[in-house]
Amino acid sequence: MPAQGTPSSKGQEIQRTFDRITGYYDLMNRLMTLGRHAAWCREVAAGAEVPPGGSMLDIATGTGVIALAARERYPNSTVHAVDFSERMLAAAAGKPGASAIRWQQADANDLPFGDESFDAVTHGYLLRNVENVEHVLEEQYRVLRPGGRVVMLETCPPRGPLRHPVELGVRVVIPLLGQVVARDRQSYAYLQESTLGFMTPQEVSEILRRVGFSSVAWRKRFLGTHMIISAEKR
C-alpha cells in the first residue's frame, strides 16, 4: 500500500537517507553498538508484553529487527510492521521468518489503522527523525487499545562525567564508519548529529505523559547514548 500523506521536505530527505543506507544498515548498527543492537531490540519486543492472540505494530521497522524478535517471542500474535522506506521494507521482508509478518509502507505521522487497533506499539530510532514528536506519539496513543503498551529504543545525548569523551567518540566514530563501511559519510554524519541532538529520557517522558500515557519508565544503555522507554495507555 502507498504511504499515507505526503512527507515534508525534511521527511523526504530522511527517507532518501535511509534508502541509501539500507544495504549497510544492519552491519552499521552492529558496529556502532559493539554488537548490542539486536539484544536491545529483543528487549523492546519483550517489553511490549503482547497477549496471546493479540496484535502489535512496529513503526519505522527498518530492516525488521524488532518485528522479527516480536514474532519469535509471540508466535500466536499478529505482528504488523511499517516503514516509509520501500527499500528497508524489501530488505526486512527478505529475512528468514519474515513471511509471518504483515509489512506495509506507511508514515508514522498518519498511521493507516483504526483507533484502538493494537495491544502494543514498538519502534526503534523513530522519534529523532520526525519533526513533531508529540503528534507522532499521539498517533501511537490513538491506535493503542486501553491498557496497551508502547516501547521504544532511542538515542540520547550522554550526560555526566563521561559526556565529553563519549560525545567526541560519537562525532568521530560514526561518520568514520560510514565512510569506511558504507562509503557514505554524509548519511552517517546526519545520524551522528541526530544522536547527539535528540531529547533526554526525561523530556521524552514528559511528552508521553502530556499525550496521555501513564506508567512511564526508562533505562539507559551503552554509556548513556541509548535509552529504552516504555509507557501504557490508560
Side-chain angles (χ1 to χ4, degrees), residues 48-51 53-59 77-82 101-104 106 110-122 139-150 213 231-234:
E49 299 179 5
V50 184
S55 61
M56 189 194 100
L57 173 64
D58 185 44
I59 307 172
S77 299
T78 302
V79 178
H80 294 252
V82 301
I101 296 173
R102 300 181 182 182
W103 307 98
Q104 183 172 344
D110 187 14
L111 296 171
F113 305 103
D115 296 354
E116 301 182 3
S117 294
F118 300 98
D119 297 290
V121 170
T122 59
E139 271 291 272
Q140 294 171 31
Y141 189 90
R142 178 184 67 79
V143 300
L144 267 177
R145 294 176 181 136
R149 290 174 58 80
V150 60
F213 286 100
E232 295 181 3
K233 181 173 181 176
R234 294 169 181 164

Side-chain angles (χ1 to χ4, degrees), residues 67-84:
L68 289 164
R71 181 62 190 171
E72 183 175 351
R73 188 174 186 88
Y74 310 108
N76 298 318
S77 299
T78 302
V79 178
H80 294 252
V82 301
D83 200 285
F84 67 175

